[in-house]
PDB file of all heavy atoms in Angstrom:
ATOM      1  N   ALA X  54      82.276  98.179 111.619  1.00  0.00           N
ATOM      2  CA  ALA X  54      83.161  99.080 112.374  1.00  0.00           C
ATOM      3  C   ALA X  54      82.862 100.535 112.039  1.00  0.00           C
ATOM      4  O   ALA X  54      82.801 101.388 112.931  1.00  0.00           O
ATOM      5  CB  ALA X  54      84.623  98.743 112.082  1.00  0.00           C
ATOM      6  N   GLU X  57      79.476 101.594 113.678  1.00  0.00           N
ATOM      7  CA  GLU X  57      79.619 101.804 115.127  1.00  0.00           C
ATOM      8  C   GLU X  57      80.450 103.047 115.418  1.00  0.00           C
ATOM      9  O   GLU X  57      80.133 103.827 116.322  1.00  0.00           O
ATOM     10  CB  GLU X  57      80.255 100.568 115.775  1.00  0.00           C
ATOM     11  CG  GLU X  57      80.271 100.641 117.285  1.00  0.00           C
ATOM     12  CD  GLU X  57      80.877  99.413 117.950  1.00  0.00           C
ATOM     13  OE1 GLU X  57      80.982  98.349 117.310  1.00  0.00           O
ATOM     14  OE2 GLU X  57      81.264  99.539 119.135  1.00  0.00           O
ATOM     15  N   TYR X  58      81.520 103.249 114.652  1.00  0.00           N
ATOM     16  CA  TYR X  58      82.373 104.423 114.825  1.00  0.00           C
ATOM     17  C   TYR X  58      81.563 105.701 114.598  1.00  0.00           C
ATOM     18  O   TYR X  58      81.653 106.653 115.371  1.00  0.00           O
ATOM     19  CB  TYR X  58      83.549 104.360 113.841  1.00  0.00           C
ATOM     20  CG  TYR X  58      84.602 105.422 114.051  1.00  0.00           C
ATOM     21  CD1 TYR X  58      85.724 105.151 114.814  1.00  0.00           C
ATOM     22  CD2 TYR X  58      84.473 106.685 113.494  1.00  0.00           C
ATOM     23  CE1 TYR X  58      86.701 106.118 115.023  1.00  0.00           C
ATOM     24  CE2 TYR X  58      85.436 107.667 113.696  1.00  0.00           C
ATOM     25  CZ  TYR X  58      86.545 107.378 114.453  1.00  0.00           C
ATOM     26  OH  TYR X  58      87.500 108.343 114.663  1.00  0.00           O
ATOM     27  N   LEU X  61      79.290 106.282 117.569  1.00  0.00           N
ATOM     28  CA  LEU X  61      79.981 106.564 118.827  1.00  0.00           C
ATOM     29  C   LEU X  61      80.696 107.916 118.834  1.00  0.00           C
ATOM     30  O   LEU X  61      80.758 108.583 119.871  1.00  0.00           O
ATOM     31  CB  LEU X  61      80.986 105.435 119.102  1.00  0.00           C
ATOM     32  CG  LEU X  61      81.680 105.407 120.454  1.00  0.00           C
ATOM     33  CD1 LEU X  61      80.657 105.330 121.592  1.00  0.00           C
ATOM     34  CD2 LEU X  61      82.638 104.226 120.528  1.00  0.00           C
ATOM     35  N   ARG X  96      87.360 102.318 122.661  1.00  0.00           N
ATOM     36  CA  ARG X  96      86.556 101.622 121.644  1.00  0.00           C
ATOM     37  C   ARG X  96      86.707 102.297 120.286  1.00  0.00           C
ATOM     38  O   ARG X  96      86.797 101.611 119.258  1.00  0.00           O
ATOM     39  CB  ARG X  96      85.076 101.580 122.058  1.00  0.00           C
ATOM     40  CG  ARG X  96      84.196 100.820 121.097  1.00  0.00           C
ATOM     41  CD  ARG X  96      84.611  99.375 120.970  1.00  0.00           C
ATOM     42  NE  ARG X  96      83.808  98.681 119.961  1.00  0.00           N
ATOM     43  CZ  ARG X  96      84.223  97.637 119.274  1.00  0.00           C
ATOM     44  NH1 ARG X  96      85.405  97.106 119.495  1.00  0.00           N
ATOM     45  NH2 ARG X  96      83.445  97.079 118.376  1.00  0.00           N
ATOM     46  N   LEU X  97      86.747 103.627 120.241  1.00  0.00           N
ATOM     47  CA  LEU X  97      86.970 104.335 118.981  1.00  0.00           C
ATOM     48  C   LEU X  97      88.296 103.908 118.360  1.00  0.00           C
ATOM     49  O   LEU X  97      88.385 103.693 117.147  1.00  0.00           O
ATOM     50  CB  LEU X  97      86.966 105.856 119.187  1.00  0.00           C
ATOM     51  CG  LEU X  97      85.630 106.570 119.247  1.00  0.00           C
ATOM     52  CD1 LEU X  97      85.836 108.062 119.444  1.00  0.00           C
ATOM     53  CD2 LEU X  97      84.792 106.309 118.010  1.00  0.00           C
ATOM     54  N   GLY X  98      89.318 103.788 119.188  1.00  0.00           N
ATOM     55  CA  GLY X  98      90.631 103.341 118.706  1.00  0.00           C
ATOM     56  C   GLY X  98      90.576 101.941 118.130  1.00  0.00           C
ATOM     57  O   GLY X  98      91.163 101.662 117.080  1.00  0.00           O
ATOM     58  N   GLU X  99      89.853 101.061 118.796  1.00  0.00           N
ATOM     59  CA  GLU X  99      89.707  99.681 118.307  1.00  0.00           C
ATOM     60  C   GLU X  99      88.986  99.660 116.959  1.00  0.00           C
ATOM     61  O   GLU X  99      89.376  98.940 116.037  1.00  0.00           O
ATOM     62  CB  GLU X  99      88.927  98.838 119.323  1.00  0.00           C
ATOM     63  CG  GLU X  99      89.679  98.568 120.607  1.00  0.00           C
ATOM     64  CD  GLU X  99      88.785  97.994 121.711  1.00  0.00           C
ATOM     65  OE1 GLU X  99      87.536  97.921 121.533  1.00  0.00           O
ATOM     66  OE2 GLU X  99      89.342  97.640 122.771  1.00  0.00           O
ATOM     67  N   LEU X 100      87.937 100.463 116.841  1.00  0.00           N
ATOM     68  CA  LEU X 100      87.175 100.526 115.589  1.00  0.00           C
ATOM     69  C   LEU X 100      88.028 101.108 114.462  1.00  0.00           C
ATOM     70  O   LEU X 100      87.989 100.604 113.328  1.00  0.00           O
ATOM     71  CB  LEU X 100      85.902 101.349 115.776  1.00  0.00           C
ATOM     72  CG  LEU X 100      84.857 100.739 116.714  1.00  0.00           C
ATOM     73  CD1 LEU X 100      83.781 101.757 117.047  1.00  0.00           C
ATOM     74  CD2 LEU X 100      84.251  99.477 116.099  1.00  0.00           C
ATOM     75  N   ALA X 101      88.791 102.141 114.774  1.00  0.00           N
ATOM     76  CA  ALA X 101      89.680 102.741 113.774  1.00  0.00           C
ATOM     77  C   ALA X 101      90.720 101.716 113.312  1.00  0.00           C
ATOM     78  O   ALA X 101      91.030 101.631 112.122  1.00  0.00           O
ATOM     79  CB  ALA X 101      90.368 103.984 114.337  1.00  0.00           C
ATOM     80  N   ASP X 102      91.233 100.923 114.266  1.00  0.00           N
ATOM     81  CA  ASP X 102      92.196  99.874 113.915  1.00  0.00           C
ATOM     82  C   ASP X 102      91.580  98.843 112.973  1.00  0.00           C
ATOM     83  O   ASP X 102      92.225  98.404 112.012  1.00  0.00           O
ATOM     84  CB  ASP X 102      92.734  99.178 115.170  1.00  0.00           C
ATOM     85  CG  ASP X 102      93.676 100.061 115.976  1.00  0.00           C
ATOM     86  OD1 ASP X 102      94.152 101.094 115.437  1.00  0.00           O
ATOM     87  OD2 ASP X 102      93.937  99.713 117.151  1.00  0.00           O
ATOM     88  N   ILE X 103      90.342  98.467 113.245  1.00  0.00           N
ATOM     89  CA  ILE X 103      89.650  97.493 112.385  1.00  0.00           C
ATOM     90  C   ILE X 103      89.489  98.069 110.979  1.00  0.00           C
ATOM     91  O   ILE X 103      89.790  97.403 109.979  1.00  0.00           O
ATOM     92  CB  ILE X 103      88.273  97.101 112.972  1.00  0.00           C
ATOM     93  CG1 ILE X 103      88.440  96.293 114.256  1.00  0.00           C
ATOM     94  CG2 ILE X 103      87.441  96.333 111.947  1.00  0.00           C
ATOM     95  CD1 ILE X 103      87.159  96.109 115.056  1.00  0.00           C
ATOM     96  N   MET X 104      89.035  99.321 110.892  1.00  0.00           N
ATOM     97  CA  MET X 104      88.842  99.941 109.572  1.00  0.00           C
ATOM     98  C   MET X 104      90.166 100.074 108.833  1.00  0.00           C
ATOM     99  O   MET X 104      90.254  99.765 107.640  1.00  0.00           O
ATOM    100  CB  MET X 104      88.157 101.306 109.721  1.00  0.00           C
ATOM    101  CG  MET X 104      86.701 101.206 110.144  1.00  0.00           C
ATOM    102  SD  MET X 104      85.825 102.791 110.138  1.00  0.00           S
ATOM    103  CE  MET X 104      86.633 103.668 111.449  1.00  0.00           C
TER     104      MET X 104
END
Side-chain angles (χ1 to χ4, degrees):
E57 187 179 342
Y58 188 95
L61 189 58
R96 183 61 184 153
L97 278 180
E99 291 168 353
L100 293 168
D102 289 345
I103 292 168
M104 290 187 293

